[in-house]
Amino acid sequence: MQSKRMKFLISGGGTGGHIFPAVSIANALREAQPDCDILFVGALGRMEMERVPAAGYKIVGLPVQGFDRKHLFRNIPILWNLLKSMRKVRRVIKDFRPDVAIGVGGYASGAAMKVAARMGIPVLLQEQNGFAGVTNKLLKNDAAKICVAYEGMERFFPADKIILTGNPVRQNLTQGNRADAYKEFGFSPDKKTLLIIGGSLGARTINNSVKAHLKELADSGIQILWQTGKFYIDDCRAEAEKIANSNLIVTDFVARMDLAYAMADLVVSRAGASSISELCLLGKPSILVPSPNVAEDHQTHNAMALVNKHAAVLVKDVDAQNGLIDSALRLINDDAQLAELAANVSALAQHDSARRIADEVLHLVQ
């Protein structure tokens, strides 16, 4: 007798930090069960409605939005859309009949996981950050298992449901090597390399900090790969051109992040969950500048999980303009501290996270 084909519902999104882990888990499930069916549920108008189909998966959109915490009266239409979304997801679950529902955070995940739990579908949550998101906190009693990336998450979730798996990272990042990297970017293996990244959209504070200290960077003799993000590239490039520095590459996007990481002696970055996981897995010394513009200041919590283990250096957003580049130039020339940071951050790495999360999903089916 042929065994029943497994079906998995995955929901979440709004940001790349939710979408990337969701797609990675789907890929790992497909690797483990090549004939399984996977259906995504997202929020209409959000980036998952494009990114998920581009990754080869079907997605259903819900008319769900986040609550306006400052203007409560504006939540009346939002509540109505939430009810519509829950009715829609109920029909989807009835038709699709998933074996397990997987929530990765975001508005759509809240509606989808709540309905799935009510309909008797086992729910697994994945929390990327060191400070749990609102959606996952609200769903903690509905979940059978909660996969987390940081220790100490018992303050948010029942201890008996928590499994430390880490966050899935881009599969190809570990494959870069330094020799190929120097060739790709035209840099020298005899000089130190600073990698400055602000995410795909860029980070205004980090960019402003670099612009204010381009002369010091040029005088230092180190090589710099500066990824500005698409919103800031024209302004940053124009400023860089005022100071002739053959050791500086300014770009809005780095296609070969595996090679960029491979040649970096030091990384300056925001403290999003995916970035932190990548730095741990690759054993990269870093200066983290948490974004102040995120819910519940979760990037600071992410960063402190490393800083408290002497695995990264923290520069607050408010101090970055004056202190970031000075700190970077001091640290990149301190081989002993770079080695200590690299050893400590490597010790925090969680390997094969997507596969381990997929294994937990399959255990729920059984």
Side-chain angles (χ1 to χ4, degrees), residues 185-187 224-227 245-251 263:
F185 295 104
F187 277 172
I224 306 115
L225 177 57
W226 177 18
Q227 182 255 320
N245 184 358
S246 59
N247 292 323
L248 172 66
I249 293 174
V250 187
T251 181
M263 71 176 180

Side-chain angles (χ1 to χ4, degrees), residues 317-328:
D317 192 86
V318 71
D319 300 328
Q321 184 105 357
N322 295 322
L324 176 59
I325 298 306
D326 280 350
S327 296

